[in-house]
Amino acid sequence: MSENSKPVDPSRREFVVKASAATSAAAIAPGVFLTAPASARPADQPVTGDKRWGILVDTNKCADNCNDCVTACETENGWGDSEPNSAPEQRTQWIRTVEIKNKSTGYAKTLPLMCQHCETAPCVDVCPTGASFRRDDGIVLVDKHICIGCRYCMMACPYKARSFIHEDLHDQKPWAPRGKGTVESCTMCVHRVDEGGTPACVEACSAENHNALIFGDLYDENSEISRELQKHDSVELRGDLGLNTGVRYRGI
Amino acid sequence: MKTALIYRETEGKSTGFWVLLGGLGAIMLLALGAVLHMEHSGHHVTGMSNQIVWGMPHVFAIFLIVAASGALNVASIGTVFGKPLYKPLGRLSGLLAIALLLGGLMVLVLDLGHPDRLIVAMTYYNFKSIFAWNIILYNGFLVITVVYLWFMMENKMNKHYPVAGFVAFIWRLILTTGTGSIFGWLVARQAYDAALMAPMFVIMSFAYGLAVFILVLMASYNWTNRPLGDAILYRLKNLLGVFIGAVLYFVFVYHTTNLYATEHHGIERFILLDGGIYTKLFWIGQIILGSLIPLFMLYHPTIGKSRPAIATAAALVIVGGFAQLYVILIGGQAYPLEIFPGYEVTSSFFDGGINSYSPSIWEITLGAGGIAFALLMVTIAVRVLRFLPETLADAAIDPHAAAKAD
Amino acid sequence: MGRILGLFILSLLWLPLPATADDMETLPFSNLSFPEPETHYSATQECVEPEEEMRKNHMNYILHQRDKTVHEGIRTRQHSLEECVNCHTAKDEQGEYIPVNAQDQFCSSCHTYASVSIDCFQCHATKPERSSTLHKVSGGAVHHSDQALTSNTLQIPAAEGKDK
């Protein structure tokens, strides 16, 4: 399987030169590359632990009855209407809005709940094959190639973030493969993040000017998310479990 | 002087034998059909969901696996603890352990979302997962018990079987500790996350395993017209009583500990008081039918000496075992996760409420198939190899009876 | 009984077995034909790797790439499964894409013959959905949908030929 002895295709070399020129030219285009080059990683470089991706949810900015983040995730990753044969309890949900009401005071609030991308994720610990894993940059994923569908990670998740696919699927998005008999959860739109983008939920929330979701590199002191976390208090859900989640909440 | 014990295969020619084989085989075929259906359509045909993740198949599988470990107890008492009365039962004990374990593993594997990836499960290991350790422990248990049986059954190797028996004994304790830890190590759920789960499962294995063993023993001697003496049977039934009492003790400690902590009042209230089916299964199924009535029956001076009563008590223990596992497994998942303590929670993903579960016929059939497989394997094995002593009459095996007779 | 078995085994020797992958087209029992992709990878090469290499080892490229993509976030396009689908999916008379794993389509034409079932498309999309970045290298005509990536950044130039 050695490829080292192949001659380099001259048209390929020419392409790389042209593409680099084109890319640098495009970098001048306003708005497109302002933040991307710093976080866009070359496609053939592995992710490293230099970054840790996280999301800050400002629940004070979450409107009741708003489902923009959920809808955006459904469209992006293709799980919205993909399981017609499954009962409602069997249908996938990568992110959901949760209405909470304080039993003593009556204070009520809505907030989105998705995979918390814990540093010491219980789902990663319990997976017998290692299919549930944490990438070096903090995103917790399921390698569906080696998932055997035992659902132990679903038993272990303190946030009920994981879903099992109960039927044959069709028309999956190429950037979000998903199939029967495996477990899945929010990927923090890893396909977008790897190309310097932001998760669909965050993008949708900002597009509608709610700005309740902030995405960024938790290890970068100067990123927007880090500055916000330093300015105002935030909590992890079920913080007593000590999981050091990548998703933090303000306002609860 | 006591004559040497002869082990002999069962005759295996009667109508009853073929009816038994046919019946068990039919159940297995139905189970395989159920598996094909679940595998082909996907798990949407089952009652399991994203809220109740593990269902009936797991109740059956875990019962069989836990009972398998306990079934080997009888052999261990003979080998490791050197009780002569138990030694003739060693071979059947090993056989039953293997059969029950295989039945349980069969159900577990066939319920996977990707049973075709079993080879992946056996080659990719995450050693932080107790589930992965269990896979190694289960397979190791099979190998060790086969070796133990071989040493018991092969005259040349007889001198080695004490070592094998000891290894099997320790391995079995580790295995059942691992099975209990599957639940005990889950921090996420109110009903689990308890160190007590591991030893409780060990004690449960003693009770269930012995109950199954007693029933299989009585059936196999009754249906082959071989004598089964009171001496051994009464020892076994008394031991079963001890194990039932021990399980009750662990259940008592588990619930009283939980009841002392306010944070666990929700789950305790759910299981003990207003959980509907789970409360009924706990009190009526597990405690009354599964523990108190069998205890009474087994220790009663006259009832405890009647064979139908002993068999009924053992059967009730098994029923109680299923009830207990249903409450632990399903009840533990029915109660919602406490993500926001002190808050009422609702969502489109069924947060904050009691989750409902109704097992589908496919899951129950699969579970029954596991039991049928185990019993089928035992039925065929005792016909083909010399697992069962010709006689277990008092005069033949009880050292005290022999002394009295002289 | 032994003789019958021996005769049976002997008769198997009459079956022409492929010495190399190139013999596949001349085998009996096989009506191997599949829709050829409209584009070539480059002027000198039809596929991302030479044809014989792909016939023998395509599964190794796929397996290697999937681990790199999932675990390390390496999303080079040379051996990307999505790019395979982008090239090898055919269209029907109405101009709609036929799922690449359908009967008589590209994958099945060999896999049915070889009796090797694949479960890639239980999860992976069977039709192209976004622009291929391989066409920039091949110089061939565009053969896919024009729908752009949904992220706001430009498509990164593929680091062609640098896969290890």
Side-chain angles (χ1 to χ4, degrees), chain A residues 96 101 126 144 152 160, chain B residues 51 117 129 182 344 351:
Chain A
R96 69 242 193 219
K101 181 171 164 199
V126 302
K144 293 167 197 179
Y152 193 25
K160 208 171 63 170
Chain B
Q51 329 303 326
R117 290 188 186 166
S129 164
I182 289 177
E344 279 169 22
D351 291 290

Side-chain angles (χ1 to χ4, degrees), chain B residues 7-90:
Chain B
Y7 293 86
R8 196 181 295 283
E9 305 92 324
T10 61
E11 225 195 3
K13 291 201 189 111
S14 63
T15 333
F17 178 74
W18 293 111
V19 167
L20 183 62
L21 277 188
L24 293 173
I27 298 177
M28 274 205 63
L29 278 174
L30 283 174
L32 288 174
V35 167
L36 270 165
H37 182 65
M38 288 196 287
E39 169 66 9
H40 182 71
S41 315
H43 274 63
H44 76 93
V45 301
T46 70
M48 294 181 277
S49 63
N50 290 327
Q51 329 303 326
I52 304 284
V53 167
W54 282 353
M56 266 322 235
H58 300 82
V59 173
F60 275 88
I62 293 183
F63 180 86
L64 286 167
I65 290 170
V66 164
S69 158
L72 199 60
N73 238 351
V74 177
S76 299
I77 297 175
T79 308
V80 178
F81 298 99
K83 300 288 180 195
L85 203 55
Y86 289 79
K87 286 195 196 208
L89 304 174

Side-chain angles (χ1 to χ4, degrees), chain A residues 85-86 88-93 96-103 111 113 124-130 144-152 154-160 163-164 166-168 180-182 237-238, chain B residues 39-44 46 48-51 53-54 58 111-114 117 120-121 124-126 128-132 181-182 186-189 192 333 337-340 342-351:
Chain A
N85 294 320
S86 300
E89 295 91 349
Q90 294 171 328
R91 287 199 196 120
T92 301
Q93 196 134 21
R96 69 242 193 219
T97 48
V98 175
E99 296 86 41
I100 61 174
K101 181 171 164 199
N102 192 311
K103 284 185 207 166
L111 47 87
L113 183 54
V124 173
D125 286 342
V126 302
C127 176
T129 59
K144 293 167 197 179
H145 305 112
I146 49 178
C147 175
I148 57 173
C150 75
R151 292 106 73 200
Y152 193 25
M154 294 171 70
M155 293 288 275
C157 177
Y159 310 99
K160 208 171 63 170
S163 298
F164 179 66
H166 292 74
E167 61 183 281
D168 282 312
K180 179 180 76 172
T182 56
L237 293 181
R238 300 191 78 170
Chain B
E39 169 66 9
H40 182 71
S41 315
H43 274 63
H44 76 93
T46 70
M48 294 181 277
S49 63
N50 290 327
Q51 329 303 326
V53 167
W54 282 353
H58 300 82
D111 167 76
L112 290 174
H114 263 282
R117 290 188 186 166
V120 171
Y124 286 70
Y125 276 106
N126 169 21
K128 204 167 175 199
S129 164
I130 189 64
F131 210 106
S181 298
I182 289 177
L186 288 181
V187 291
R189 299 192 184 244
Y192 308 145
Q333 296 176 77
L337 295 168
E338 284 283 10
I339 306 177
F340 303 97
Y343 286 81
E344 279 169 22
V345 181
T346 49
S347 80
S348 57
F349 202 43
F350 306 93
D351 291 290

